[in-house]
Amino acid sequence: MTNPTNDENNIETNFKEKMTYGEYLQLDSLLSSQNRLSGHHDEMLFIIIHQVSELWMKLILHELNAAIEAIKKDHLSVSFKKLARVSQIQFQIIKAWDVLSTLTPSEYLEFRDSLGNASGFQSYQYRLIEFALGYKTDFILKIYEKDTELHQQLEQAYRAPSLYDVSISALKRAGFDISDDILKRDVSKAYTFDESVHKAWKEVYQNTDDHWDLYELAEKLVDIEDRFQQWRFRHMKTVERIIGFKTGTGGSSGVHYLKKVLDQTFFPELWHLRSEL
């Protein structure tokens, strides 16, 4: 019989001139970025949860931008894998709130003042995701004026076609009659319901065999908005659990603001047509 210990003989142990796992992932930099300003034990939880969420958001943007480019080229099947990955990443971010919910109001009060006016409201990656999904608000850009490079990145995303814009263009290229007002609209404005888009998606859903790729695209979009709203809801309930209805550190109305954004939709026609099918 083979000696089990012999199976490990090929494990590399000499890294004097080779790259290690930690070096590849730049763990020295990554794991030294959790600097507690208060020194309170639970501030570590607070920092890591938000840093991990930002890493997941970076990957969401990576996949969303790739999906947008694929849809522009009518490579819908290529976009499906990327959009499905976004949905799975969203699930990870949703579950992160369960971990943060272990933080009690008394524990948070011990270090809340250390945040100053820093707030998740200022997350630029969250705004980039909103822009990519089609929810555009220009007032938010003012927050980032102190960083010229970042402000330019946000401005560019603000004026770029969203995931839904390119999906609607795909409907047009597939032969559906889409209003010129929609096709030529100012994409820096938040999208609102359009009857021609609604009619096109409704036909897709009523004739799935003839429009299977567009049907699958529509369902991928619904998956993403569904998960996004779940994320928003869990965020709102976690904030309510920890600080109640206090004003947020960044000056927002806190839970009141988070409840209000639950009414925002990205793909209104895809939700509306479900009542008519």
Side-chain angles (χ1 to χ4, degrees):
M1 294 180 63
T2 303
N3 186 339
T5 59
N6 291 337
D7 294 339
E8 313 301 332
N9 288 340
N10 293 326
I11 292 178
E12 186 62 66
T13 58
N14 182 0
F15 285 94
K16 291 181 178 179
E17 296 181 1
K18 297 176 184 177
M19 179 175 63
T20 64
Y21 168 83
E23 289 169 336
Y24 173 68
L25 294 177
Q26 301 182 54
L27 291 182
D28 284 347
S29 173
L30 185 65
L31 299 180
S32 62
S33 298
Q34 294 73 45
N35 301 311
R36 289 176 291 166
L37 298 182
S38 69
H40 190 274
H41 175 85
D42 292 310
E43 190 179 356
M44 183 66 77
L45 163 68
F46 191 83
I47 292 171
I48 288 178
I49 285 293
H50 289 85
Q51 287 182 339
V52 167
S53 294
E54 290 291 338
L55 284 172
W56 280 128
M57 282 191 273
K58 182 173 183 176
L59 186 53
I60 285 175
L61 287 165
H62 181 69
E63 300 298 341
L64 281 179
N65 290 330
I68 287 171
E69 292 306 311
I71 295 168
K72 284 180 181 179
K73 299 173 183 176
D74 287 324
H75 296 163
L76 298 188
S77 60
V78 173
S79 75
F80 297 156
K81 175 63 178 289
K82 303 179 190 315
L83 296 176
R85 183 174 291 163
V86 168
S87 294
Q88 291 302 313
I89 298 166
Q90 288 175 299
F91 183 72
Q92 299 300 318
I93 297 181
I94 292 167
K95 294 300 292 181
W97 294 119
D98 293 340
V99 183
L100 188 59
S101 291
T102 65
L103 181 69
T104 69
S106 297
E107 291 162 347
Y108 183 48
L109 284 174
E110 292 291 329
F111 63 86
R112 189 182 191 225
D113 288 346
S114 299
L115 274 64
N117 292 124
S119 166
F121 185 84
Q122 299 147 15
S123 168
Y124 68 86
Q125 290 199 121
Y126 177 82
R127 299 305 171 187
L128 287 170
I129 291 172
E130 282 192 328
F131 290 173
L133 295 180
Y135 184 73
K136 309 284 185 76
T137 49
D138 59 356
F139 84 94
I140 210 72
L141 295 175
K142 296 177 182 178
I143 293 174
Y144 312 100
E145 288 179 346
K146 66 178 289 184
D147 187 328
T148 303
E149 185 176 341
L150 176 56
H151 188 268
Q152 288 176 346
Q153 181 185 354
L154 283 153
E155 183 80 26
Q156 183 178 0
Y158 175 72
R159 301 193 181 283
S162 71
L163 177 64
Y164 202 42
D165 290 323
V166 298
S167 297
I168 291 171
S169 294
L171 285 171
K172 175 65 175 180
R173 292 192 299 273
F176 290 95
D177 185 16
I178 305 297
S179 166
D180 282 343
D181 289 341
I182 289 296
L183 295 172
K184 298 176 181 178
R185 76 183 193 88
D186 181 355
V187 296
S188 69
K189 306 300 181 185
Y191 182 83
T192 56
F193 182 94
D194 177 79
E195 186 58 40
S196 69
V197 175
H198 174 255
K199 183 178 179 181
W201 283 127
K202 186 175 180 180
E203 185 174 338
V204 168
Y205 273 77
Q206 289 175 329
N207 300 278
T208 58
D209 289 343
D210 295 333
H211 309 292
W212 185 262
D213 279 355
L214 289 168
Y215 172 61
E216 188 167 354
L217 173 60
E219 284 299 288
K220 290 289 188 290
L221 297 180
V222 170
D223 287 343
I224 287 172
E225 179 160 348
D226 190 352
R227 290 275 172 87
F228 198 91
Q229 293 293 61
Q230 290 180 47
W231 184 90
R232 280 173 162 170
F233 180 79
R234 288 297 298 127
H235 184 189
M236 181 268 292
K237 294 305 293 183
T238 301
V239 171
E240 183 178 0
R241 175 172 177 154
I242 296 174
I243 69 167
F245 288 83
K246 293 187 182 76
T247 300
T249 50
S252 75
S253 58
V255 170
H256 292 294
Y257 169 78
L258 296 173
K259 283 186 174 181
K260 183 173 66 175
V261 298
L262 286 172
D263 293 329
Q264 296 171 359
T265 58
F266 300 116
F267 319 127
E269 295 86 1
L270 293 176
W271 293 99
H272 184 76
L273 65 82
R274 280 159 161 74
S275 301
E276 300 182 359
L277 292 175

